[in-house]
């Protein structure tokens, strides 16, 4: 950490309450494409895309152009939209974004879109939607290792680290079972409740905070069969996996899974705070106004027009520049390099989809090694690589480094990064052999 970063970090510590900030990290000043620069002028490859927010790259020209047009009021909607928030007034950009989200999400059925200011808030609203639509079914199931947020029902579904909900009493009927394990769900049916009392299963196709763990396709097949058997609805959390991250527009497409409600945020507006949940409306049984009366769900920052403009530009950039296809192609290259590390080492496990990979750190006896994981992350800073960790529990039971670069990364850039990764690991553990990037 340079002197300017150290000074800013000191001011941060004196002025703000603790959050998720790693105080050994540099203080970031600006970004461009896959790179970020700190206040001391040091350049880094952002290998976590700000945990998926800068998924199309920092300062993407399509988004910057949309921002300038919006601020200059060149969007063709006479008048200044800046003062309109969106919770009590409709503005055209909100409608356009809802229509686009209906278009690009799976399922040919009738859908409607709800907005929120964060992924956690959208998950909570999705749960609330189903509680109102199916009040006779009180139970919700999520999975150990899941992260859905730190507020409201989203917090009750989270099961990644105890600290994320420590001190809060359990609300409602929320059950956690091993990841995508239908046998464990079936064991609850009977002793705990009847199958037709389960309202929904809430699922990440890749557990990001839980260690970048993709679901097994056979487990998803079992979940689909269980849901069909008991008319259980599926909420798929695509907050981190969606919008091209895994090499498909939505990770659930890898599994031929069409959710009843899909939740998206993070990459949606390339840095502006907005989230959405896209819901199958057939379950409202032609009683929408009765089940969802005016005011049933809203918040102050509900689809702000500036965020909607950035989200529409983000979707345009993803589709027009082939970023989903690039994520699939570059993900294969990055995955191949990570799998090579796994083959060369008894201390690392690689897993992932598209450009959402994780490298797990273990001791030679197979036990978790969070210390080596953390050392790698800090050594990577000296090589100009900005990584973040993940994993279940504190300390992590599967300590993992996230490999989630922006979707615009090139093959050359991947090999440059991976050569540095191999160098760091080789210096730490000599039994790792270097490999060619060719």
């Amino acid at each position: 950490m340079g002197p300017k970063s150290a000074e800013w970090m000191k001011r941060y510590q004196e002025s703000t309450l603790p959050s998720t900030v790693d105080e050994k990290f540099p203080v970031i000043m600006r970004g461009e494409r896959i790179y970020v620069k700190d206040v001391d002028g040091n350049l880094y490859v952002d290998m976590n895309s700000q945990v998926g927010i800068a998924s199309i790259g920092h300062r993407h020209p399509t988004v910057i152009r949309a921002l300038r047009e919006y601020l200059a009021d060149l969007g063709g909607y006479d008048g200044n939209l800046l003062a309109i928030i969106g919770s009590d007034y409709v503005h055209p950009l909100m409608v356009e974004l809802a229509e686009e989200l209906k278009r690009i999400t799976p399922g040919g059925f009738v859908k409607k879109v709800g907005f929120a200011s964060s992924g956690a808030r959208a998950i909570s609203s999705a749960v609330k939607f189903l509680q109102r639509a199916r009040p006779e079914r009180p139970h919700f199931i999520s999975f150990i290792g899941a992260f859905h947020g730190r507020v409201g029902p989203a917090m009750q579904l989270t099961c990644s680290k105890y600290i994320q909900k420590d001190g809060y009493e359990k609300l409602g009927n929320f059950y956690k079972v091993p990841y995508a394990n239908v046998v464990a769900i079936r064991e609850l049916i009977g002793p705990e409740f009847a199958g037709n009392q389960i309202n929904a299963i809430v699922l990440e196709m890749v557990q990001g905070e839980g260690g970048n763990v993709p679901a097994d396709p056979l487990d998803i097949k079992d979940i689909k069969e269980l849901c069909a058997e008991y008319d259980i609805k599926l909420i798929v959390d695509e907050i981190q996996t969606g919008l091209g991250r895994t090499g498909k527009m939505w990770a659930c497409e890898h599994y031929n899974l069409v959710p009843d409600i899909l939740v998206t945020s993070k990459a949606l507006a390339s840095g502006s705070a907005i989230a959405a949940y896209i819901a199958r409306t057939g379950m409202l049984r032609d009683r929408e106004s009765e089940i969802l009366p005016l005011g049933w769900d809203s918040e102050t920052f509900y689809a702000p027009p500036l965020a909607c403009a950035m989200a529409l530009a983000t979707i345009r950039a993803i589709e027009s520049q082939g970023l989903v296809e690039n994520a699939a192609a570059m993900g294969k290259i990055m995955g191949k390099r990570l799998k090579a590390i796994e083959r060369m080492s008894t201390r690392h496990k690689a897993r992932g989809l598209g450009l959402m990979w994780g490298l797990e750190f273990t001791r030679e006896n197979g036990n978790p090694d969070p210390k080596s994981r953390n050392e790698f992350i800090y050594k990577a800073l000296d090589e100009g690589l900005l990584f973040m960790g993940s994993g279940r529990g504190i300390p992590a039971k599967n300590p993992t480094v996230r490999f989630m670069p922006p979707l615009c990364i090139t093959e050359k850039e991947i090999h440059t990064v991976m050569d540095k990764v191999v160098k760091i690991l080789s210096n730490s553990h000599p039994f790792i052999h270097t490999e060619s990037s060719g």
Side-chain angles (χ1 to χ4, degrees):
M1 180 184 294
K4 291 182 180 179
S5 280
E7 175 59 28
W8 278 105
M9 193 60 72
K10 181 174 180 290
R11 292 169 62 178
Y12 164 81
Q13 292 165 342
E14 292 171 350
S15 303
T16 66
L17 291 169
S19 180
T20 58
V21 171
D22 187 326
E23 296 178 1
K24 295 181 181 178
F25 275 20
V27 175
I28 301 302
M29 184 74 170
R30 63 185 75 247
E32 192 85 26
R33 279 192 70 253
I34 71 168
Y35 301 98
V36 293
K37 184 179 287 188
D38 70 13
V39 291
D40 293 282
N42 299 306
L43 194 66
Y44 305 88
V45 178
D46 183 0
M47 284 301 291
N48 61 81
S49 303
Q50 297 296 289
V51 201
I53 296 169
S55 203
I56 66 171
H58 296 273
R59 285 182 54 81
H60 193 286
T62 302
V63 176
I64 297 300
R65 184 165 56 252
L67 272 171
R68 287 175 176 157
E69 290 177 356
Y70 172 81
L71 294 173
D73 195 25
L74 299 177
Y77 308 115
D78 300 326
N80 187 346
L81 296 177
L82 285 174
I84 300 176
I85 295 302
S87 56
D88 297 304
Y89 302 94
V90 174
H91 58 83
L93 293 170
M94 175 201 298
V95 178
E96 288 182 3
L97 180 56
E99 290 171 344
E100 280 292 89
L101 289 169
K102 288 167 58 179
R103 177 182 68 82
I104 66 174
T105 47
F109 42 77
V110 178
K111 311 170 195 168
K112 287 196 174 179
V113 178
F115 291 105
S117 59
S118 71
R121 183 72 177 76
I123 288 284
S124 297
S125 292
V127 169
K128 188 177 175 183
F129 175 97
L130 288 177
Q131 285 173 327
R132 296 188 68 90
R134 292 149 56 94
E136 72 283 1
R137 292 172 172 259
H139 304 301
F140 290 81
I141 294 172
S142 62
F143 299 99
I144 295 169
F147 183 78
H148 300 292
R150 293 179 174 88
V151 296
M155 180 175 62
Q156 303 305 320
L157 295 162
T158 290
C159 192
S160 175
K161 297 175 177 65
Y162 75 88
I163 196 68
Q164 293 161 346
K165 54 185 177 178
D166 187 36
Y168 288 87
E169 187 176 343
K170 180 180 176 182
L171 304 172
N173 301 293
F174 297 92
Y175 296 83
K176 288 91 174 174
V177 300
Y179 185 36
N181 190 319
V182 169
V183 172
I185 298 174
R186 288 189 180 278
E187 286 177 352
L188 293 174
I189 297 173
E192 288 286 345
F193 42 70
N196 61 9
Q197 290 181 302
I198 303 173
N199 197 322
I201 293 171
V202 186
L203 173 67
E204 297 164 285
M205 309 314 299
V206 183
Q207 287 193 333
E209 181 68 14
N212 279 33
V213 182
D216 187 302
L218 293 178
D219 290 337
I220 298 303
K221 179 175 179 291
D222 290 343
I223 286 175
K224 289 162 66 175
E225 290 173 356
L226 178 75
C227 290
E229 181 179 348
Y230 290 106
D231 188 26
I232 298 168
K233 302 304 180 186
L234 262 175
I235 301 174
V236 172
D237 180 339
E238 294 263 11
I239 292 168
Q240 191 170 150
T241 55
L243 295 162
R245 169 56 54 190
T246 67
K248 299 275 190 184
M249 182 63 84
W250 308 101
C252 60
E253 293 177 293
H254 287 284
Y255 301 86
N256 295 315
L257 179 66
V258 178
D260 297 286
I261 300 179
L262 184 148
V263 181
T264 180
S265 186
K266 284 193 181 292
L268 179 57
S270 296
S272 191
I274 190 170
Y277 56 103
I278 302 90
R280 185 197 300 252
T281 53
M283 67 185 87
L284 297 176
R285 305 180 297 279
D286 298 320
R287 293 165 50 214
E288 181 174 322
S289 61
E290 177 187 344
I291 295 172
L292 307 177
L294 190 66
W296 80 276
D297 187 56
S298 185
E299 59 176 306
T300 301
F301 297 101
Y302 185 95
L306 182 60
C308 290
M310 292 176 68
L312 287 164
T314 298
I315 294 169
R316 285 199 302 274
I318 290 170
E319 293 189 322
S320 65
Q321 296 170 21
L323 293 181
V324 177
E325 294 78 9
N326 194 64
M330 296 303 104
K332 289 178 181 177
I333 294 167
M334 189 171 73
K336 183 179 178 181
R337 295 292 306 266
L338 286 166
K339 281 294 186 181
I341 291 172
E342 180 182 73
R343 289 193 303 272
M344 293 184 292
S345 169
T346 58
R347 302 185 59 171
H348 301 92
K349 301 173 185 175
R351 54 181 173 261
L353 280 176
L355 282 175
M356 187 174 182
W357 279 76
L359 187 66
E360 183 178 341
F361 284 63
T362 68
R363 297 185 175 89
E364 290 191 55
N365 61 6
N367 289 337
D369 191 1
K371 182 173 180 289
S372 290
R373 187 272 310 270
N374 295 343
E375 288 174 351
F376 169 85
I377 290 172
Y378 299 132
K379 288 176 182 176
L381 293 173
D382 295 332
E383 296 290 339
L385 305 177
L386 190 61
F387 283 104
M388 291 186 70
S390 63
R392 299 187 315 276
I394 301 176
K397 294 178 172 59
N398 58 338
T400 301
V401 173
R402 307 175 200 240
F403 283 72
M404 293 174 48
L407 308 187
C408 57
I409 196 168
T410 66
E411 180 175 355
K412 182 179 179 180
E413 288 166 335
I414 286 175
H415 285 308
T416 298
V417 168
M418 293 308 303
D419 288 345
K420 291 181 178 182
V421 167
V422 171
K423 173 186 169 185
I424 298 166
L425 294 175
S426 298
N427 290 339
S428 302
H429 307 294
F431 55 86
I432 295 180
H433 309 291
T434 58
E435 65 167 346
S436 168
S437 63

